[in-house]
Amino acid sequence: MTSLFSRRGFLGGGCALCAATLAGCQTTGEALGRLAPGARPVAGGDVASLWESADREERRVRQSRHIIRTPEVTSYISGLVEQLAGPYAKDIRVYIVRTPEFNAGMYPNGMMQVWTGLMLRCANEAQLAAVLGHEIGHYIEQHTVANFRSIRSATDIATFVGMGLAVAAGPGAAVLAQLAIIAAAFSFSRDQEREADAIGLDLIARNGYAPLAAAQVWERMIAERAAEERDRARGEDIFFATHPSSAERAQTLTALAGGRTGEFHTDRYRQALGGLQLTLVEDELRLRRFRRSEWLFERLHADGANPGLMLFARAEVNRLRDFPGDQTRAAEFYRQATAQPGTPPEAWRGLGLIERKRDRQADASAAFRRYLDLKPDAGDRDLIRSYL
Amino acid sequence: MRRMPVLSLALLVLLTACAKWGLIEPKPQVVENRLQVNPSIAFARIVFPAPRDRLQMWTVDGPNLNQMLVLPELGHRMALLAEPSGADRANPTYPLFRSTMAEPEIMELIADTLSIAFQKVPIATTNLQPTTFAGQPGFRFDFTFSSRQDLDYRGTFIGGVDNGTLAGVMLIATAIHHYDTLRPELERLASTARRIRSTS
Ligand SMILES: [Zn+2]
């Protein structure tokens, strides 16, 4: 089943700050220099197929069911991009893609994708702005176009391979080879990432944000990955050992920030996300990456983000994982969550499930009743009622 | 639904280039020596290379249009789908079943497994109800989701836990057409399901 449905999307690994992909083997295109604002680069010519693919992808994305269309959220994000992109604002269109991964991507035709997993992970507006600025940097320096060109000219081997495959496996293979070239155009070199980092940092600083936010996004991502790998490496932080470039990048960004200060806009960020935050939390929980999720929610909770929701999230991680001690911790977090504003009714459901498992029937029933009161149309109401 | 159109078959072969497939005839079928069901129509069974999923996949028109999934038996601390090769044992890709799970938790387990398998799409579950499965108390629920290719799917799971193991049948099919067509067959599989005890 997996294999049938896991065709990689056009964006594939995406770009943003993607540590793992930095490990060499990309072809760096010769720098093309800055794009002029408003200039729609020559359609046709040697990059024609890149444009066609990007435009086709954008038509698909525009119709997609996986795009967040909440007007308050979309206008907020578009507003941020507009402010950061300045003279390029009119050339960039932003789409919020509901995917629980830390990513954003910039297509050469001006389509920007912001994934919801990135929005969940940013602690404030400044951090998100740093990533958006980085993506704008790739766009105005035309990195994708440069890479595409160099791949094409360096290897018409790709075409050759494509033809060979086409003979062996039918016409679909040629399309796949073409897609592979395009995907490779999105693998940025270390120099290109550095350039985009510098532009991003410059853009946020010019717009009054704290420049340090750029390094912070990166440090958080490193810490989250490290949390996932901690056990595997028996206590050693193997993420740092295997991804020196990530740590180096965070250091460079910190140095670039210098002592400059600015705004983080933490409250404004959380307010703008509003009800979407619950969706982002639920999508993260679905992945059952317990160590990463646990680290993330603990961190967001410590940041002061929406305590009712974060306590609920931490409880859910413990309940779903169900390792020794997790039930007790889950019950404790649920109890704290239900005493806070901003907690979803599902906190009562979770508490009921835990107490039922711990043979505390009265507590379980009370929690389930509260859940059904708060969410009378819940999808599991009939079965929950059978527990009362 | 009885005949298998040539076009669909061609599509199926194309889509499952590295899988084998077999025929499920409309007669009582014993699945992995654990669960007996009695289909009234023929299915193609898709057999993926090892490692094997716990779910057996049957289809009429190809897995992109409909999948009838049969779960003969899932034991404590096992996942519905096989780990991708090279996966980290400490961080399993798919959630593990526990024999102590309550019905809403098993619903979460199944929905989250599908969500991960279908490229991290959100899955909406509804209508969780107590029912009877294989002569024992069981449960059922419905779900909907859109694939990353923006195809809308509907599904239903019917099953139950007996002796600490989970068994069931599940339909996933396009919302426009195939779900309604195959729903009666899912009900038939569920109503004819019989668990087979191991005698050894
Ligand atoms: Zn980048």
Side-chain angles (χ1 to χ4, degrees), chain A residues 14-18 104 134-135 138 143 188 192-193 196-197 249:
Chain A
C15 132
L17 314 165
C18 198
H134 172 100
E135 294 303 324
H138 281 308
H143 288 158
F188 298 112
Q192 288 172 329
E193 292 296 355
D197 275 348
R249 194 162 168 191

Side-chain angles (χ1 to χ4, degrees), chain A residues 1-2 4-5 7 60 64-66 98-99 101 232 286 288 291 319 349 357 379 382 387, chain B residues 15 48 63-64 67 88 91 94 103-105 108 112 119-120 127-129 146-148 150 152:
Chain A
M1 169 153 45
T2 340
L4 296 170
F5 288 91
R7 254 170 274 149
R60 194 188 70 77
S64 169
R65 285 159 177 72
H66 299 285
R98 189 169 170 192
T99 303
E101 294 292 351
R232 209 192 317 184
R286 246 183 219 118
R288 310 261 181 152
R291 290 193 194 97
R319 176 177 68 80
R349 168 187 180 274
K357 212 165 259 173
D382 292 329
Y387 289 163
Chain B
L15 285 171
F48 294 101
N64 277 343
Q67 302 179 6
D88 170 17
N91 294 302
Y94 298 108
E103 290 86 345
E105 293 173 301
E108 286 174 327
D112 291 356
Q119 294 178 288
K120 301 172 185 175
N127 217 14
L128 177 62
Q129 306 272 351
S146 300
S147 70
R148 288 284 166 199
D150 284 316
D152 292 333

Side-chain angles (χ1 to χ4, degrees), chain A residues 84 125-131 133 199-214:
Chain A
L84 291 164
E125 190 177 296
Q127 289 184 5
L128 181 62
V131 178
I199 294 173
L201 193 121
D202 182 52
L203 288 178
I204 62 169
R206 262 197 275 160
N207 282 278
Y209 294 107
L212 207 53

Side-chain angles (χ1 to χ4, degrees), chain A residues 225-275:
Chain A
R225 294 281 184 87
E228 181 169 51
E229 305 199 3
R230 198 169 296 138
D231 281 11
R232 209 192 317 184
R234 297 212 187 97
E236 293 162 46
D237 260 342
I238 64 159
F239 187 85
F240 285 99
T242 52
H243 298 83
S245 62
S246 324
E248 178 209 297
R249 194 162 168 191
Q251 281 159 14
T252 309
L253 282 166
T254 307
L256 279 175
R260 288 179 290 174
T261 53
E263 298 293 332
F264 286 99
H265 290 306
T266 306
D267 294 339
R268 190 160 87 185
Y269 182 62
R270 301 221 172 97
Q271 259 162 29
L273 295 196

